[in-house]
Amino acid sequence: MRPEWPAPSPLKDHWLLSKELIFLNHGSFGACPKPVLAAQTRLREIMETSPLQFIHRHRTERMDEARNVVAPFVGADPANFVFVTNATTAVNAVLRSLELAPGDEILTTDHDYNACRNVLVEVARRTGARIVVAHVPFPILGEDQIVQAIVDAVTPRTRLALLDHVTSTTALVFPLERIIRELEARGVDTLVDGAHAPGMVPLALETLRPTYYTGNLHKWVCAPKGAAFLWVRPDKQDGLQPAVISHGNNTPRPGHSPFQDRFDWPATYDFTAWLCAAESVRWLGELLPGGWPELMSTNRQRAIEARRFLCERLGLEPPCPESMLGSMATLPMPGRLTEIADPTAPDPVYTRLHDEFGIELQIPRIHGQRWLRISSHAHNAADEYRYLADVLGRLTTK
């Protein structure tokens, strides 16, 4: 028997999320609001009414309109900004464009995202470069440990560092500007996987100035799936090829750089998700009186308060300071739920949480044990975390 079902957020009706689902895993694939999905449906209908006009003749003007909304939202000059389908696609484009030699080193951390690590492995296999992994402790006392771990792993052969802005598994917000400046001083380029950052934390890319930065728009910006971006420092744009090479390599357009030409047309593709990213930025920016600053602050504060509550109710130790959190938080599972009997089998705790109790929760495995990661967005309510605590407390005692 379930505990008392939680009272939903009054804003949840803006999403298509099931009323029978407690959706605490916005961080994985996001969720797109109804008005944005409606806007995408309208665009798709226009496209199918006259496909050639939409895809070919008016593509550039529509993409420029969207770029001129989304780029300023992340503090980017539109000239340095292109749309891509997801952050992993952008990481592929950057890493596979690098001219590496045997013995060159690519630096990452042990908090990186598996898909991006796989790109590193393939690039290293193909070029003879070496992957160096900086160990960032978790649990962690503070951001100094992150900076020191990365700096200590740099050698004269380090060519590039792949950095997370917000780590996926451990939900840490890295002190990115400090890390970038430390690496810049040592002549090391930086590729930032900011998959979770847009819409979770304020961004000012022209000030931050990594070498490359990619972020997903389907997560905290709530755009349709297939919307992300890549920002590239101007001096690094010439040698960069998209993951899919298409017409843009020899089809220049007035008022656009070769960098934009190459990325703006990745063969035939439903690019309405890119166009609707602008609608997501506008719509969510009007959801609360204080606009995006209030939305990001509210989401973050809800996640922090939920973590405090779960720690107190379940007797858990927070693995990092609150200052290192955004709109997600990772905690150890309580009691015997930390134990994993068969790491190759589907997770029985995840299955029970979803199938019996209607909870969608990210359950990462860290140091050979089961953890939980909560997310917070406008469709979430504080009472949902109470319900999660009730359920986990019940599972630990059975």
Side-chain angles (χ1 to χ4, degrees), residues 103-122:
D104 285 343
E105 293 177 355
I106 310 172
L107 176 61
T108 187
T109 77
D110 52 0
H111 291 240
D112 61 2
Y113 188 56
N114 180 62
C116 297
R117 175 70 72 90
N118 285 342
V119 184
L120 284 179
V121 169
E122 173 58 20

Side-chain angles (χ1 to χ4, degrees), residues 224-255:
K225 279 65 173 172
F229 70 87
L230 173 64
W231 180 94
V232 180
R233 208 173 64 197
D235 62 300
K236 293 291 184 176
Q237 292 174 9
D238 285 349
L240 187 61
Q241 288 286 358
V244 175
I245 295 174
S246 188
H247 295 289
N249 272 39
N250 62 355
T251 310
R253 298 166 299 167

Side-chain angles (χ1 to χ4, degrees), residues 116-261:
C116 297
R117 175 70 72 90
N118 285 342
V119 184
L120 284 179
V121 169
E122 173 58 20
V123 168
R125 184 198 65 79
R126 181 169 50 82
T127 64
R130 177 172 171 257
I131 301 170
V132 176
V133 180
H135 171 63
V136 174
F138 190 77
I140 190 168
L141 298 176
E143 63 180 33
D144 288 350
Q145 290 178 281
I146 301 174
V147 178
Q148 196 62 52
I150 292 170
V151 168
D152 286 349
V154 174
T155 77
R157 300 304 303 266
T158 308
R159 292 283 310 280
L160 177 125
L162 173 63
L163 307 168
D164 288 85
H165 195 161
V166 183
T167 61
S168 179
T169 300
T170 51
L172 298 175
V173 179
F174 274 19
L176 199 57
E177 187 165 12
R178 285 184 60 190
I179 299 169
I180 290 171
R181 299 288 86 85
E182 290 282 357
L183 293 174
E184 188 176 64
R186 292 162 173 78
V188 177
D189 286 342
T190 48
L191 166 56
V192 179
D193 176 7
H196 289 273
M200 180 192 286
V201 297
L203 286 175
L205 294 181
E206 301 296 334
T207 301
L208 186 64
R209 288 187 70 78
T211 315
Y212 314 91
Y213 190 106
T214 180
N216 283 326
L217 299 166
H218 68 265
K219 292 181 185 284
W220 304 98
V221 178
C222 296
K225 279 65 173 172
F229 70 87
L230 173 64
W231 180 94
V232 180
R233 208 173 64 197
D235 62 300
K236 293 291 184 176
Q237 292 174 9
D238 285 349
L240 187 61
Q241 288 286 358
V244 175
I245 295 174
S246 188
H247 295 289
N249 272 39
N250 62 355
T251 310
R253 298 166 299 167
H256 295 79
S257 67
F259 166 61
Q260 291 175 323
D261 288 335

Side-chain angles (χ1 to χ4, degrees), residues 37-72:
L37 290 172
Q40 185 179 36
T41 296
R42 290 193 297 271
L43 284 173
R44 284 172 165 165
E45 289 172 349
I46 295 170
M47 176 171 62
E48 296 306 331
T49 299
S50 185
L52 201 66
Q53 295 297 308
F54 189 93
I55 295 173
H56 183 63
R57 187 176 178 188
H58 297 295
R59 177 191 189 94
T60 290
E61 64 193 69
R62 288 183 181 275
M63 285 189 59
D64 284 347
E65 289 173 3
R67 184 176 6 237
N68 289 337
V69 171
V70 182

